[in-house]
Structures are given as C-alpha cells and as structure tokens.
Amino acid sequence: MDSPGHCAQYCTYTTIEQDSRDIVHIVSVDKRETSRNSVIMEKECLIRTMDALLPNVRIKEVVTDAHPQITGLLNPERGRYKAWGIHHSLDIWHAAKSLSTRIRKAGAVKGQNPIQVWSRDIVNHFWYCSKQASTEEQFKLCLRLMWVGVMHHVCNEHF
C-alpha cells in the first residue's frame, strides 16, 4: 500500500505470498466508501483483506508502512486481529525514510548540524545492514554489531 495522502481517490491493497511472490488477494476501496476520508481507506483495505483471507489462509506476518491505524489493528495485545498471533513488521523502505527524516531533524537542532553531513552514509549503512539479514532477528543483531561503527565514525573516533 502506498501512502495515499489526502487527495487519493482509491486505495488498493495487494497481498503477496512471501516465498512464491504470488498475488494472493487484491482489494480496492474508493474514497466515497469511507465518507470521503482518504486516511481511513488504508485501514478499510486491511480490514477487508484480513477478513477475506483469515478464514482460509494462515497469516504469519503482515508487512506495512508505519500507518498508526494499521499498527493499531495489528497490535498483538489490543488489536482487532490479536487472537490470530500475526506478527506485524514495518517495511525497510519506510524505516530508511524515517531514519533520514529523524537525522535531518536532529541536525536542525542548534549545535547538532554536523550529523547532517553523515546522513547519507548512515542511511546507506542501514540499507547495508538490512541486506545482510534474512530475518528480523538477524537484522537486529546486525544493527547492534555494525551500528557501533557508525557511531564511532560520526564522533570521529577511529581505532
């Protein structure tokens, strides 16, 4: 799902099986079906998708962007689909974009602007870590081990 913004007329959710990369389900929602509220369209697409698939398909993981309503629906403690034991992951592209935005904001603070010089390198390092891992656990371990090197470079500490 590409984030629709406030002017999108339609939202399409495509469900892909991880191993075969086959399209399993597609649902489209028109903004008129959500009281002309494009922000709600993504939530409605996920609800329709999950309600269609769950009776017939064992869903282990759902990977989305960081949309707060989607995160709420998939919350393992309070969400609508908590009983299904579905793991919710955030896609790596949105994570890298968020990291870049946070570095830019941190660099805007008085006296912290040198971090902006490192922004591209830090984000590239994040991508590198993501390519080294095939599971979320491996990715987290890679970040813990490799991220330390980035911090030393940013602080101009070379061993």
Side-chain angles (χ1 to χ4, degrees):
M1 165 60 199
D2 188 17
S3 302
H6 296 285
C7 61
Q9 181 67 34
Y10 302 97
C11 174
T12 301
Y13 236 67
T14 305
T15 308
I16 301 171
E17 199 280 326
Q18 180 179 354
D19 295 327
S20 68
R21 307 295 291 163
D22 289 341
I23 294 175
V24 178
H25 187 263
I26 297 176
V27 64
S28 291
V29 173
D30 187 311
K31 184 164 58 173
R32 293 172 289 193
E33 297 176 66
T34 59
S35 301
R36 304 198 72 67
N37 186 336
S38 62
V39 176
I40 297 173
M41 288 193 306
E42 186 172 355
K43 177 182 177 183
E44 183 61 29
C45 276
L46 179 73
I47 290 170
R48 290 183 189 183
T49 297
M50 298 298 278
D51 290 350
L53 293 177
L54 282 172
N56 305 309
V57 178
R58 164 92 169 91
I59 299 174
K60 296 178 185 177
E61 181 179 23
V62 174
V63 181
T64 68
D65 61 7
H67 191 286
Q69 291 177 334
I70 301 302
T71 302
L73 285 171
L74 296 170
N75 184 301
E77 296 162 6
R78 300 180 307 278
R80 178 175 177 154
Y81 301 104
K82 66 182 177 201
W84 295 91
I86 299 168
H87 181 73
H88 180 220
S89 298
L90 302 178
D91 74 72
I92 202 72
W93 184 87
H94 281 90
K97 182 179 176 188
S98 175
L99 176 61
S100 178
T101 300
R102 290 172 188 220
I103 292 169
R104 193 171 43 255
K105 285 182 181 178
V109 174
K110 186 177 180 179
Q112 302 300 319
N113 61 337
I115 191 73
Q116 290 179 339
V117 173
W118 287 93
S119 179
R120 177 180 281 162
D121 296 313
I122 292 170
V123 173
N124 284 343
H125 191 68
F126 179 83
W127 277 108
Y128 175 78
C129 288
S130 72
K131 286 187 172 191
Q132 301 308 305
S134 58
T135 66
E136 184 177 353
E137 291 76 26
Q138 289 176 351
F139 176 67
K140 288 177 180 177
L141 177 63
C142 184
L143 279 179
R144 278 195 301 273
L145 296 174
M146 298 174 79
W147 208 250
V148 175
V150 170
M151 294 295 106
H152 287 295
H153 282 294
V154 170
C155 296
N156 201 23
E157 297 172 354
H158 305 284
F159 301 99

